[in-house]
Amino acid sequence: MSSTHPANTSAAEGEPKVSNFLRQIIENDLDKGTYQSRRWAGSPGDAAHQEAGQPDPARIRTRFPPEPNGYLHVGHAKSICLNFGLARDYGGICHLRFDDTNPEKEDTEYVNSIIDAVKWLGFDWQAQGTTHLYQASDYFDFMYRAAEYLVQNGHAYVDEQTTEQMRANRGDFGKPGVDSPFRSRTPAENLARLREMRDGQHEDGSMVLRAKIDMASPNINLRDPAIYRIRRATHHNTGDKWCIYPMYTYAHPIEDALEQITHSICTLEFEDQRPFYDWLLARLCEGGLLKSPPPRQYEFARLNLTYVITSKRKLAQLVYDHKVSGWDDPRMPTIVGLRRRGYTPESILLFAERIGVTKSDSWIDYSTLESCLREDLENKAHRGMAVLDPVKLVLTNWAEVFGSDGYTEDCTQPALPHSAIAEGQTPPPDRVFKIGKEVWIEREDFEEVPPKGYKRLFPGNVVRLKGGYVIECTGAGAKDANGQVTEVHAKVIAGTKSGTPGADSVKAKAAITWVSVASGVPAEVRLYDRLFLDPHPDAGGKDFIEALNPNSLKVVTAYVEPSLANAKPDEKFQFERHGYFVADRVDHAVGKPVFNRATGLKDSWGK
Ligand code: ATP
Ligand code: MG
């Protein structure tokens, strides 16, 4: 399979664009020239820094800002496709920013996995010779300077109430808050306290810096939100330089503004934070610390996928409690898990495009994701035969017809059906495999007493071994102590081989898949099913562990034809009649094939 990077071309080229209200907003801003006056000095920075730069060559700037505290999942993939996709489509630049302002949870393992995931999807943060890969913790100095500015101008104060007092005085939806007794301190007093906080003169949790806005605001987020807290923790980037850390709601708008982001796109749960986002940036712009116009925040509905959980914390629990084999377990909705399951970047991009972007929460059916994979692999994945539940079929008249029991013959079949070959494209070389006296067939393809309408092997019935000969079944050849059939017998009909002039001389009722004993290779095949039995495993505070599917993995030993046994790791195939499979990236080796079922051929989720 080719590994082109579809993300570099507009995914929707030639197709009508799916509903995406953000496109309208951006197009409107571009028409009005909202951000035309922006300058960019080549790196993030404050107003003075950007002022000295050139007019920004990027028409818009977006960002994808993960917190490096876990592996990215399919929900993040939606956000990546959205942010990088919009930048690509509108002559903009998308920054990859590690939102690492929380000192305790970050890890370089996660940083590297995030970089790999975004690259694998085909996106890039290099533009015009600059690497737009940023760390929010690099902005701590500015964030602190901005805090002093707010204090000096009466927009922030140090509150020494206890956490309980603060909570009680915040009020609730029906009840306005009560001013803190520390709210009326002078800027000079507050500045002194803030500096003491910074210099480590106070205990963790003994006081916080709060924005001074409105304790009676109907939006509780505007009731003097905390913006800095004391926390003695070693940060992976800044070490022990700081013992105070900014709160996320304070840090995030500043990060966006320093990076000259125009459209800051986040999920709906931040909608109530937008007034604070705007308030903060307006203060810092009017103080001349940041360049106007500031970025604007827009919210979209997060991805909810049935039978899937999309929370890094809950996914981490599955990993640490050994409910799955790791972050890249093929049942995980992580990007590494999807990749190991056999998903392609193209299929995920197609999915993101297809689900669109809306402002109201809804559930996307898991089958939508699977059908995008089928659509992508349909014309790409080479075909092959594999027998997943093998029983031996013996062609009892083989020596009579071909002269000896040991005789074998080559069969050829196309790697891709005619319909999958685009005009002008050279078809891949045919697959070659042997037929001999003994072949493996699926256990379900033989019935001693056929149910009504059954067309496959039963005594007296005539079927074709796909790509091989027509055979006539003579019955069960052997059974074990439990009466289970261990060998099926049939007679080969001479002159009926596929692709020869006599192929149609005998009419077969059905064609069945098979692999010869002579050229079949045993393979470990991992048959994955949904990880959860409940379509909404963690909705309404449910314990998602209880919804785990005990049968989400079944491992079988199958027989596969040589073209499959020689697969490269990560190569995808259609096992005829069974579905799409991938050679496992981790465990597969030539001579010891291991395949994962990516998806069946048809939607089975509704059943
Ligand atoms: P989690 O709860 O899984 O930790 P998060 O939102 O805290 O998710 P971040 O690392 O902060 O994770 O997210 C980075 C970006 O990805 C954010 O802009 C966030 O809005 C977006 N994102 C996270 N989950 C989803 C989702 N399910 N659908 C769409 N976007 C998402
Ligand atoms: Mg988060």
Side-chain angles (χ1 to χ4, degrees), residues 73-87:
H73 52 62
V74 62
H76 295 112
K78 174 178 178 178
S79 178
I80 293 168
C81 292
L82 180 60
N83 281 294
F84 281 94
L86 288 172

Side-chain angles (χ1 to χ4, degrees), residues 134-295:
Y134 301 113
Q135 295 189 83
S137 56
D138 284 340
Y139 312 141
F140 280 159
D141 285 331
F142 179 87
M143 289 174 190
Y144 179 76
R145 174 154 73 94
E148 286 208 349
Y149 167 82
L150 294 175
V151 165
Q152 283 164 327
N153 288 275
H155 298 310
Y157 62 99
V158 172
D159 194 352
E160 296 179 38
Q161 292 184 102
T162 62
T163 318
E164 294 73 45
Q165 286 167 331
M166 252 183 264
R167 194 177 303 125
N169 289 339
R170 190 172 295 130
D172 54 35
F173 285 110
K175 196 172 86 190
V178 175
D179 284 2
S180 161
F182 300 93
R183 201 175 196 265
S184 49
R185 274 178 170 163
T186 64
E189 281 174 298
N190 281 313
L191 187 60
R193 275 286 185 281
L194 175 60
R195 288 182 176 170
E196 287 168 19
M197 280 172 64
R198 177 200 60 191
D199 295 340
Q201 295 177 31
H202 298 284
E203 294 291 300
D204 283 18
S206 60
M207 52 187 72
V208 294
L209 183 68
R210 296 177 75 173
K212 191 171 181 177
I213 309 178
D214 179 4
M215 286 305 290
S217 171
N219 181 342
I220 295 186
N221 295 297
L222 291 180
R223 294 183 188 173
D224 295 4
I227 60 179
Y228 257 100
R229 66 199 163 124
I230 307 173
R231 185 82 196 90
R232 285 172 177 77
T234 305
H235 188 280
H236 77 108
N237 180 26
T238 55
D240 293 320
K241 178 173 178 194
W242 297 95
C243 66
I244 58 171
Y245 289 95
M247 306 299 284
Y248 177 84
T249 44
Y250 173 77
H252 200 85
I254 292 180
E255 294 159 22
D256 284 343
L258 292 173
E259 292 181 20
Q260 297 283 85
I261 300 303
T262 54
H263 301 81
S264 176
I265 300 163
C266 63
T267 43
L268 280 176
E269 60 277 19
F270 293 99
E271 193 166 13
D272 290 345
Q273 295 287 356
R274 183 166 13 101
F276 178 69
Y277 186 105
D278 293 339
W279 177 91
L280 176 64
L281 294 185
R283 297 292 80 70
L284 299 177
C285 284
E286 81 199 8
L289 279 77
L290 292 173
K291 271 297 280 165
S292 229

Side-chain angles (χ1 to χ4, degrees), residues 585-607:
R585 313 179 59 222
V586 179
D587 299 325
H588 171 88
V590 174
K592 191 192 154 289
V594 179
F595 289 97
N596 303 328
R597 178 167 65 196
T599 174
L601 289 178
K602 285 199 283 277
D603 174 22
S604 60
W605 288 82
K607 282 143 222 156

Side-chain angles (χ1 to χ4, degrees), residues 378-380 382-383 414-429:
E378 165 75 32
N379 292 341
K380 287 187 194 166
H382 287 186
R383 280 25 173 195
L416 283 175
H418 192 68
S419 59
I421 314 288
E423 222 177 278
Q425 192 195 338
T426 323

